[in-house]
Amino acid sequence: MNCPRDGQALRETSPCDVTVPVCPGCGGMFLHQGELNKMAAATAGDLEFSTVDLDTFQHDDAYGPIPCPDCGAGEMAKVEFVIHTNLILDYCGSCGGFWLDGTELDRINDEVRRLNEAAAEDSHEPPMLWFARFIWSLPR
């Protein structure tokens, strides 16, 4: 498998007990379906489902469109991580995988920690946090 950004051969690495292909050049990584939930900071619910469900798939980012490096099913869709985070990920509707550019996993983890802290601090949840938690709780 090659990096959809710079064409370099992806190397297998095993952070968080999950083996994922990572680009040695740009630091991007491909996560197969279910792996984002394992790689991200712990939280209740399904991050992948809450990211993809009800998304418009019409988001711009600084990186531009890419083909899926795993199944080659064409251009990956742009999805916003969870809701209203301004963190745009590449998602393949055919195989269910995500391409994370460079620091996107760190940004995802920061956002998950922020949401977890907000939930712990505020017993009167803001509507957006309540909505995000509701989406995460839906069965897949």
Side-chain angles (χ1 to χ4, degrees):
M1 184 182 317
N2 291 329
C3 176
R5 298 283 183 219
D6 62 23
Q8 291 191 47
L10 301 179
R11 297 183 187 158
E12 297 285 318
T13 186
S14 299
C16 306
D17 297 325
V18 177
T19 301
V20 296
V22 177
C23 178
C26 70
M29 67 178 66
F30 184 80
L31 303 178
H32 295 92
Q33 188 171 11
E35 291 178 339
L36 178 59
N37 290 318
K38 296 175 184 175
M39 297 280 294
T43 191
D46 186 322
L47 293 173
E48 291 183 14
F49 177 76
S50 63
T51 297
V52 176
D53 187 52
L54 302 177
D55 196 278
T56 64
F57 302 102
Q58 302 296 317
H59 305 283
D60 293 324
D61 69 358
Y63 299 105
I66 56 171
C68 178
D70 188 48
C71 72
E75 198 171 282
M76 297 180 83
K78 300 290 186 177
V79 297
E80 186 171 19
F81 177 70
V82 187
I83 298 170
H84 302 291
T85 60
N86 294 321
L87 177 54
I88 308 302
L89 308 177
D90 296 282
Y91 170 73
C92 180
S94 294
C95 69
F98 289 88
W99 176 261
L100 304 184
D101 289 298
T103 62
E104 286 179 339
L105 183 58
D106 292 334
R107 293 177 61 204
I108 287 169
N109 286 329
D110 289 344
E111 185 63 27
V112 169
R113 279 188 217 95
R114 187 186 70 74
L115 290 170
N116 286 341
E117 288 169 4
E121 290 174 2
D122 189 8
S123 61
H124 301 291
E125 297 174 346
M128 190 51 63
L129 182 59
W130 177 88
F131 184 69
R133 189 171 288 139
F134 170 74
I135 294 295
W136 290 345
S137 70
L138 292 174
R140 199 157 189 192

